[in-house]
Amino acid sequence: MIQVDVEEERKEILKRYRRLLRHAKPVLKPGDAKFIKQAFNVSLEAHKDMRRKSGEPYIYHPLEVALICVEEIGLGTTSIVAALLHDVVEDTDWELEDIEREFGPKVMTIIDGLTKISGVFEYGSSQQAENFRKMLLTLSDDVRVILIKIADRLNNMRTLGSMPRHKQLKISSETMYLYAPLAHRLGLYAIKSELEDLYLKYTDTDTYKDIVDKINESKSYRNKFIKSFIQPIEEELTRQGFRFSIKGRPKSVYSIYNKMKKQGIPFEEVYDLFAIRIILESELESEKADCWQVYSIVTDFYKPNPDRLRDWISTPRSNGYESLHTTVMSNTGQWVEVQIRTDRMDEIAERGYAAHWKYKDSSGKSNSGLDDWITQVRSMLESNDGNAIEFMDDFRGNLFHEEVFVFTPKGDLKVLPFGASALDFAFEIHTEIGARCIGAKVNQKLVPINQKLKNGDQVEILTSSKQRPNEDWLNSVVTSRAKAKIKDALREEKKSAILDGREIVQRKLKQMKMDFNSETIEKLRAYFELKTANEFYYRVGKGTIDPTSIKSFKDFKENQKLKHKAIQEKVKDESSFTKEIKSLKGPDHDQLLIGEDMDVVDYILAKCCNPIPGDDVFGFVTVNEGIKIHRTSCPNALELLSNHGNRVIKARWTSQKEIAFLAGLHIVGTDRVGLINDVTKVISNELKVNMRSITVDSDAGIFEGTIKLYVHSTEHLDKLMNNLSQVEGIIKVSRFD
């Protein structure tokens, strides 16, 4: 039992409350402080007997969330009040009506958007995805719902250390899946970077620590380098009368990790480990000219890389971000990224959406694409009647993307996501033009509708009254607008096919003496590997699934192990699995032991990531194939942990060594006579390693090969990789899934 000093805690709560008021002071209007105090008192009373997992009083959490809203996002009084009260309805007897009576309809709407949907969800659906959808429905009414939710998530991630490991995985993956991209889309760069770093810290702790240590080791060298790099620039800017500040900062841990992973290089080879930021005090009308003048000064001292110039001043990103980026070669032979912006641009870059309101012009209009994006989200929500997970996939596709700038025949600029096609452009102009599109002229040249557009393309759309959207069109577009409009058109046609298919399936199951119920249909859906039951009916209705093939499902179903069926009945989610394991193995067991529990629970190793002992893993209860074991770094882990957290179970390896697991190695080196022989010798000398396959390719003196072999654990694999990297001529050995 933790000993609590009530008086000390009371002092600490007041200290945090006063800190909040101090930061809020610049945005407070008369009467606001009283309003905040009322919200604080209600929250304090409502949570008085609650504690967080760390043992701290629960009230610390709403206070910290409110502080993030003010200090890091720049929100005002309504948001502070809503942040202080955001868990009251969910955790206590307070109802939304009480909130509305005491604090007004605005606060009530925000809190409604932040309150999770509770209740039982049908098996195979996702509670998380439903809650995301509910939260996004209020986004179109009041963007503060999302901003407070991001603040709430940031505080949860900062205090994740006190949570059990499987909860850390779930919460981190959900954060990476939705909240980091949302923060990016709303222009909250500092928060987005911190969320990504914290995700890495809890999902791949060793890599995170390694990068942090290396950043710290190089700190004094880096500071010395930055000092000498900026000295001539500072002198020249001062001489020319600029008012400015210069910051040098390392790139985020996650962005360094991403570069290492994407390019397959060690930390030492990441060339732009840090960025220099020059922030100017400048009048609105001379901002652009000032930034380009500073660019000219920087490139007088250092040669720029022409491929790395990014001009987001002439055409800001759609989340409002404005800045001029260039990468230049320093005197020590190192590339350095230089960002040039004004203090107004810097505030928008750091504070995103909240700062963007501040700089609206007198007509209340803002030239940022953020308003357009929110309008897009609104139309997407209105046209979506599929399941929540499908909606989440569509929505996420619109969060993280670079952009292309293209022109209409009259010279109007359109901003589209990177990878957009001529068909996306057609729907961007008008729904009717999109639906009738048969092709396009890009820079006067005839192209098909799926032609990808490049920066600066001028596009003219060709239409025909006979054209109709078809299913394949969905593969040719990336914008949510085009997807939503194509789906609308297909939906009408689809409805009748679904009804036909449903009738056929019902008749077929009756002939086979099987029940026509949601459980049978769910199993049929999984058997035919389709996302939804309607998709299955549709395929049957259109004739792409032959009704007679339903018979093969019956045979398959009957051949499955009885034990597997029994477990599947009992184990539907994490809590029922834990109960099942405890009843079979005793009260001290609450997780799956891989290598030992085969007799108790049916599980298989996932083929998407081929886990081996020593890998960090989790179990996932599938609908039809029992429990699958995935690596936490599996390409599918993010989606599974985010959308189906209730079906994730704790799993770890036992220490036994007899089992062998398939692993893949990728080898790169300089070719020479006898290299293959040396590689295979190392493998066959290694105790109990069987090779399954080896493929090699040599071109212009460079040797590349992949080897699949059986190992016992990550330790075993690391030792083997180490021995292989010692072979003369081998430059790099890496594992692949």
Side-chain angles (χ1 to χ4, degrees), residues 50-224:
M50 294 170 67
R51 295 200 165 264
R52 300 202 79 191
K53 277 274 190 294
S54 59
E56 293 179 332
Y58 195 87
I59 187 71
Y60 286 4
H61 171 64
L63 278 169
E64 289 301 316
V65 173
L67 186 65
I68 293 168
C69 288
V70 180
E71 196 183 356
E72 299 179 52
I73 305 178
L75 295 169
T77 304
T78 308
S79 302
I80 296 171
V81 169
L84 286 169
L85 299 168
H86 77 274
D87 280 334
V88 166
V89 173
E90 209 169 295
D91 295 341
T92 71
D93 298 336
W94 274 68
E95 299 288 340
L96 283 168
E97 296 74 48
D98 305 325
I99 298 277
E100 185 171 21
R101 190 181 60 249
E102 296 291 326
F103 298 97
K106 261 189 183 162
V107 173
M108 188 274 290
T109 308
I110 294 174
I111 288 174
D112 183 31
L114 292 164
T115 305
K116 295 191 191 84
I117 308 167
S118 59
V120 179
F121 286 78
E122 62 175 276
Y123 191 48
S125 92
S126 161
Q127 186 161 348
Q128 281 101 319
E130 293 291 354
N131 279 316
F132 290 151
R133 177 149 71 175
K134 179 192 177 201
M135 187 175 78
L136 292 164
L137 280 162
T138 42
L139 162 76
S140 47
D141 301 325
D142 197 327
V143 75
R144 287 174 294 195
V145 173
I146 298 290
L147 296 170
I148 297 167
K149 189 68 195 171
I150 288 172
D152 177 40
R153 179 51 58 127
L154 180 59
N155 182 246
N156 284 334
M157 287 296 286
R158 284 173 177 172
T159 54
L160 206 54
S162 54
M163 284 291 204
R165 172 83 182 129
H166 68 295
K167 282 271 170 59
Q168 289 178 346
L169 275 179
K170 273 185 216 178
I171 294 167
S172 304
S173 299
E174 204 179 283
T175 301
M176 196 61 184
Y177 183 75
L178 186 80
Y179 293 102
L182 255 177
H184 170 87
R185 197 61 190 73
L186 292 166
L188 301 162
Y189 284 100
I191 289 179
K192 168 223 166 193
S193 296
E194 189 178 345
L195 289 174
E196 288 175 340
D197 285 359
L198 288 165
Y199 161 77
L200 190 62
K201 180 180 175 179
Y202 289 109
T203 53
D204 192 347
T205 313
D206 294 344
T207 307
Y208 175 81
K209 279 191 181 141
D210 193 38
I211 296 173
V212 169
D213 290 346
K214 284 179 174 160
I215 289 174
N216 290 337
E217 276 166 28
S218 58
K219 195 174 182 177
S220 58
Y221 161 76
R222 195 170 59 243
N223 290 345
K224 211 164 106 189

Side-chain angles (χ1 to χ4, degrees), residues 437-656:
C437 174
I438 52 166
K441 278 185 178 174
V442 172
N443 309 329
Q444 307 303 316
K445 194 174 157 218
L446 204 60
V447 298
I449 59 174
N450 61 357
Q451 173 82 16
K452 296 258 193 294
L453 301 177
K454 296 195 292 295
N455 270 329
D457 279 348
Q458 194 163 17
V459 189
E460 182 188 343
I461 297 298
L462 309 172
T463 59
S464 158
S465 57
K466 292 188 174 64
Q467 181 68 298
R468 293 279 176 281
N470 64 54
E471 197 83 43
D472 287 342
W473 280 22
L474 288 170
N475 301 325
S476 305
V477 294
V478 296
T479 58
S480 56
R481 180 190 171 93
K483 280 185 181 170
K485 298 300 177 192
I486 294 168
K487 281 178 183 171
D488 280 349
L490 295 174
R491 208 168 273 135
E492 290 312 306
E493 175 216 347
K494 208 170 181 178
K495 270 180 189 164
S496 61
I498 287 171
L499 289 171
D500 294 347
R502 192 184 157 92
E503 277 176 29
I504 295 167
V505 172
Q506 206 166 353
R507 277 203 310 274
K508 195 74 199 158
L509 288 176
K510 199 174 174 186
Q511 286 168 15
M512 288 158 56
K513 298 194 169 44
M514 286 177 75
D515 292 338
F516 177 72
N517 58 24
S518 60
E519 197 182 342
T520 309
I521 297 305
E522 179 55 33
K523 286 177 177 167
L524 272 164
R525 175 203 69 72
Y527 176 71
F528 287 104
E529 293 178 349
L530 296 168
K531 274 190 171 174
T532 63
N534 278 350
E535 191 61 36
F536 168 62
Y537 292 140
Y538 174 68
R539 301 269 178 110
V540 175
K542 292 289 277 184
T544 50
I545 290 179
D546 184 359
T548 55
S549 63
I550 295 174
K551 173 128 181 29
S552 65
F553 159 73
K554 189 182 182 187
D555 301 339
F556 161 79
K557 189 166 166 281
E558 285 167 1
N559 288 339
Q560 281 185 316
K561 295 181 197 167
L562 289 170
K563 179 179 73 172
H564 171 88
K565 186 169 178 286
I567 284 294
Q568 195 58 34
E569 287 306 308
K570 289 175 189 163
V571 180
K572 287 215 167 184
D573 58 26
E574 177 199 352
S575 54
S576 64
F577 168 80
T578 306
K579 276 185 207 150
E580 182 63 16
I581 277 282
K582 282 183 175 175
S583 73
L584 290 163
K585 297 196 71 186
D588 297 337
H589 295 270
D590 68 342
Q591 56 185 320
L592 179 63
L593 285 180
I594 309 160
E596 232 175 63
D597 288 346
M598 209 48 173
D599 55 333
V600 179
V601 182
D602 209 12
Y603 62 85
I604 51 175
L605 301 178
K607 290 202 169 57
C608 47
C609 57
N610 288 324
I612 64 177
D615 282 334
D616 217 347
V617 288
F618 63 93
F620 185 76
V621 183
T622 65
V623 177
N624 264 22
E625 299 173 275
I627 293 164
K628 279 191 172 178
I629 308 298
H630 292 265
R631 280 160 64 186
T632 53
S633 58
C634 167
N636 298 317
L638 205 58
E639 205 266 334
L640 297 177
L641 289 159
S642 311
N643 273 335
H644 306 281
N646 58 316
R647 287 158 58 189
V648 171
I649 56 177
K650 291 186 272 187
R652 66 178 173 83
W653 301 95
T654 58
S655 52
Q656 58 187 46

